[in-house]
Amino acid sequence: MADLVFGLDTFGDIPEGDDGAPITDAAAIRQVVREAVLADDLGVDAIALGEHHRPEYSISTPETVLAGIASLTQRIKLGSGVTVLSSDDPVRVFQRFSTVDALSNGRAEVILGRGSFTESFPLFGYDLADYDVLFEEKLQLFSRLLDEKPVTWSGTTRAALDNADVYPKTESGHLKTWVGVGGSPQSVVRTAYYGLPLMLAIIGGAPDRFAPYLDLYRKAAEQFGTTAQEIGMHSPGFIADTDEEAREVFYPRYKVMRDRIGALRGWPPIRREEFDSEVEHGSMYVGSPETVARRIAAAVQSLGVGRFDLIYSAGPVPVSARLKTVELYGAKVIPMVREILAEQEN
């Protein structure tokens, strides 16, 4: 798996500063740019920024931050993780990302999804009752825009287009577009229908439980007569010098974020035993570089995915600890995973 792609994902979580207090939204955005530049220097392949409209997160417009990162980096791919297409306009999304593509000399990619939160719907004037039709129609239109030719389209969720040409176009004629899926078979089938790459959000439980989705994606593409594209996965994690340090720094901050969101969804507070079990057997990659590398290699091997993204900023983890995670991921974990997988192939 020499061509395996490694990425980092963040929602711009508000971290703790040196004094232990949360930093400002503006400082959190600048911190993400700093982390992206470090990742680029270390040879990490991609960074994806998620869209959120909540107080825990600083990034509401990923492409704006990506444009800033583009001017300071050379090779790292710049994507969203995810762009909430249901509450956005497909034409504007294409225009914004084709602009990032221009600024980055062809490094932009967009991951489209419904999102794991619903705040964007009332914020931008959309009815949650239209949740399904909004995504279906807008994905249909976006897939047409990817041809970069005049589009004629009509639906119920936005104004019709009549031979509309959309600018700017990309220099390559191709804006890399994924669909992010959280575990819905219907979403997997839809992604196959449009012939787009699939990014699986695997944030709990054993990774191999998602294997049926990979099979479903490939079989659906065959039945639709489309081409099965790349499949990636992203999962949360945190890296420190030792397993003990990683758990002790990460757990209390992760619990703050997890319990706050869980209360809105009717989940009980997370217990330390659950966290430890997820770290040891599930989809949370927390520990020393050696531990995290072994677990990533096992997940990639069991699923056969071509990309792994680490969500490296879950909760108010201190700025210095986040930077250390990025450093260890790029300098140690990625080379170790490649080495482990190469040994398994031989």
Side-chain angles (χ1 to χ4, degrees), residues 28-87:
I29 290 171
R30 293 191 292 268
Q31 179 61 29
V32 169
V33 174
R34 183 182 177 193
E35 290 157 358
V37 171
L38 175 60
D40 185 57
D41 291 342
L42 291 168
V44 178
D45 297 309
I47 187 162
L49 310 184
E51 172 193 343
H52 284 294
H53 305 273
R54 296 180 51 82
E56 299 89 354
Y57 308 114
S58 65
I59 297 175
S60 61
T61 57
E63 55 272 42
T64 310
V65 185
L66 293 170
I69 294 170
S71 66
L72 299 171
T73 55
Q74 299 298 319
R75 54 172 302 281
I76 196 167
K77 296 177 182 177
L78 307 171
S80 58
V82 299
T83 292
V84 185
L85 187 64
S86 304
S87 56

Side-chain angles (χ1 to χ4, degrees), residues 313-341:
S313 62
V317 173
V319 165
S320 57
R322 270 185 26 182
L323 278 170
K324 187 67 174 291
T325 288
V326 173
E327 178 185 351
L328 292 175
Y329 183 69
K332 293 189 175 183
V333 171
I334 292 174
M336 285 182 188
V337 176
R338 293 195 187 282
E339 183 179 341
I340 293 169
L341 294 175

Side-chain angles (χ1 to χ4, degrees), residues 268-283:
I270 190 170
R271 295 177 293 111
R272 180 60 188 258
E273 294 79 7
E274 296 174 74
F275 171 80
D276 288 338
S277 177
E278 193 65 44
V279 167
E280 291 164 13
H281 308 293
S283 296

